[in-house]
Amino acid sequence: MGNHVAITVGGSNGHFELNVYKPLIASALLCSLRLLGDASASFEKNCVRGIEANRERISKLLHEKIGYDNAAAVAEKGHKEGTTLKEAALKLNVLTSDEFDKLVVPEKMISPSD
């Protein structure tokens, strides 16, 4: 934030092409670029390197859920027709009654879960 303020003040207080704050602006910009570069390298080294996809979990979630588009269609249909989500899902043939009851459990939706 300090570099940003220095650049902003330097730019606003300079006079056209005779800006005596150019060295300050250049220094603060280079410092910010260095900080961003170092932070990116550190993030890659300490956080990203070695991360692998949990393919089993991805597959489970992929095949277990109905997806955003279908969920949105169900919500829209239920809202427009004034019906429940379950009725809308059944009309759209997105889920069976048992699948809906298994997936949509309001008690599990009120707090974070794994």
Side-chain angles (χ1 to χ4, degrees):
M1 281 180 38
N3 287 333
H4 173 73
V5 170
I7 292 169
T8 302
V9 170
S12 67
N13 289 326
H15 301 288
F16 306 112
E17 294 171 11
L18 300 172
N19 191 337
V20 295
Y21 289 99
K22 280 186 182 178
L24 169 81
I25 293 169
S27 176
L29 178 64
L30 292 173
C31 182
S32 288
L33 292 172
R34 179 62 177 259
L35 285 169
L36 285 170
D38 289 349
S40 297
S42 178
F43 179 74
E44 185 277 329
K45 177 184 172 191
N46 297 305
C47 295
V48 176
R49 192 178 295 170
I51 290 178
E52 294 181 18
N54 184 340
R55 297 190 183 280
E56 182 180 317
R57 175 107 170 113
I58 291 170
S59 179
K60 180 179 183 276
L61 292 173
L62 180 65
H63 294 95
E64 199 174 81
K65 308 296 180 193
I66 65 172
Y68 176 83
D69 290 336
N70 285 337
V74 168
E76 185 176 346
K77 184 171 184 67
H79 178 71
K80 280 185 179 178
E81 296 180 1
T83 62
T84 66
L85 293 176
K86 185 173 184 175
E87 291 169 340
L90 294 174
K91 284 182 185 176
L92 291 173
N93 292 320
V94 173
L95 295 169
T96 66
S97 181
D98 290 338
E99 290 172 332
F100 185 91
D101 292 337
K102 179 183 171 193
L103 292 174
V104 181
V105 182
E107 294 80 18
K108 291 183 180 179
M109 296 178 180
I110 59 173
S111 63
S113 64
D114 292 333

